[in-house]
Amino acid sequence: MVKLIGRTKINCAVFISGRGTNLKSIFKYSKTIKSKIDLKLVISNNYNILGVEFSKKNKINTKIIDYKKLKHAEDHIIKHLRKNNIKLICLAGFMKILSNDFIKKFKYHIINIHPSLLPKYKGLNTHERAINNGEKYSGCTVHFVTEKLDSGKIILQDRVKILKSDNPQTLAKKILILENKIYPKAIDLILSKI
Ligand code: GAR
């Protein structure tokens, strides 16, 4: 582990399922002087995705998990987390639901980014629902993960105006830019308090 200004960095894992732009922004943050994390591990439930391509290209220890059986998958994940002494898990577009047992084991050590202004629009199709409900703003939220979906304590949010011309795709694009900015900030924020 790397020592920085008298402090030990926290070993971090990022869980992904897709294109991995949030993984990229966390990776970039981990390489800055002020970073409080070492990005030690990437967990993915998919093989052929941009996120895995990025992770391997940057020589991050990357594990693809077979999710046919949840218990089996999570046992594997836990083995890798323990082996790498992971203290912070960042869900970044990870589209598998973690079991309550798993969440209990790592309580207060798992955070997630969600593309809405929680507590509004938990779950899927957030942009479509925000537009259809005539919301003036939408955004993204980094929060702690608890047993209840998208309901843990909020760490950081940012918002953007929904324009009349927006559709779910344009809104998703605008919000993703915010997501990539706030995820590293949220990590920095929680780690500055310990
Ligand atoms: C992001 O928009 C993230 O908020 C969303 O998946 C996308 C992943 O993008 N997560 C969820 O919807 C979780 N409920 P990325 O792979 O480019 O980071």
Side-chain angles (χ1 to χ4, degrees):
M1 286 215 269
V2 184
K3 285 259 184 193
L4 180 78
I5 323 171
R7 289 188 58 167
T8 305
K9 288 192 183 192
I10 297 285
N11 285 355
C12 171
V14 179
F15 287 22
I16 58 168
S17 298
R19 108 203 106 173
T21 65
N22 284 296
L23 164 66
K24 262 185 219 173
S25 84
I26 294 168
F27 175 75
K28 227 167 128 190
Y29 161 75
S30 77
K31 296 290 176 197
T32 62
I33 284 182
K34 69 172 210 157
S35 159
K36 298 183 176 78
I37 57 163
D38 267 339
L39 178 44
K40 289 278 188 198
L41 182 67
V42 167
I43 295 285
S44 171
N45 62 305
N46 286 325
Y47 280 93
N48 286 323
I49 55 170
L50 288 174
V52 166
E53 200 179 295
F54 173 84
S55 178
K56 288 191 168 167
K57 206 163 148 189
N58 287 283
K59 303 196 170 20
I60 310 166
N61 185 9
T62 306
K63 300 292 174 198
I64 316 290
I65 304 296
D66 179 348
Y67 247 86
K68 270 186 215 105
K69 283 189 183 143
L70 179 68
K71 171 88 173 65
H72 192 69
E74 290 190 343
D75 283 350
H76 256 108
I77 295 175
I78 289 167
K79 191 184 80 189
H80 294 303
L81 294 174
R82 302 261 192 250
K83 199 169 163 194
N84 289 280
N85 193 26
I86 299 297
K87 298 283 187 243
L88 178 68
I89 298 169
C90 300
L91 307 182
F94 188 62
M95 294 318 214
K96 292 286 178 190
I97 304 271
L98 297 169
S99 72
N100 286 350
D101 276 355
F102 184 96
I103 293 170
K104 268 187 204 131
K105 271 197 182 85
F106 295 96
K107 208 155 191 179
Y108 304 116
H109 293 260
I110 315 176
I111 62 176
N112 178 44
I113 189 149
H114 184 75
S116 80
L117 290 172
L118 291 174
K120 286 187 168 178
Y121 309 112
K122 298 169 183 174
L124 298 174
N125 304 320
T126 54
H127 309 304
E128 196 177 357
R129 287 188 284 144
I131 290 171
N132 290 346
N133 279 350
E135 297 284 357
K136 286 198 167 57
Y137 291 92
S138 190
C140 50
T141 306
V142 180
H143 64 96
F144 285 101
V145 172
T146 58
E147 289 92 327
K148 227 169 144 199
L149 183 73
D150 298 330
S151 299
K153 190 172 183 299
I154 290 172
I155 300 162
L156 208 57
Q157 290 186 309
D158 201 359
R159 67 176 194 169
V160 68
K161 215 170 176 154
I162 301 181
L163 305 176
K164 284 214 163 63
S165 55
D166 271 324
N167 57 46
Q169 289 73 34
T170 59
L171 185 57
K173 225 170 165 176
K174 287 195 284 190
I175 290 176
L176 192 64
I177 295 170
L178 301 181
E179 290 187 37
N180 296 165
K181 283 189 185 145
I182 70 163
Y183 214 155
K185 282 189 191 161
I187 292 171
D188 209 72
L189 194 66
I190 55 169
L191 295 180
S192 64
K193 287 180 182 161
I194 57 169

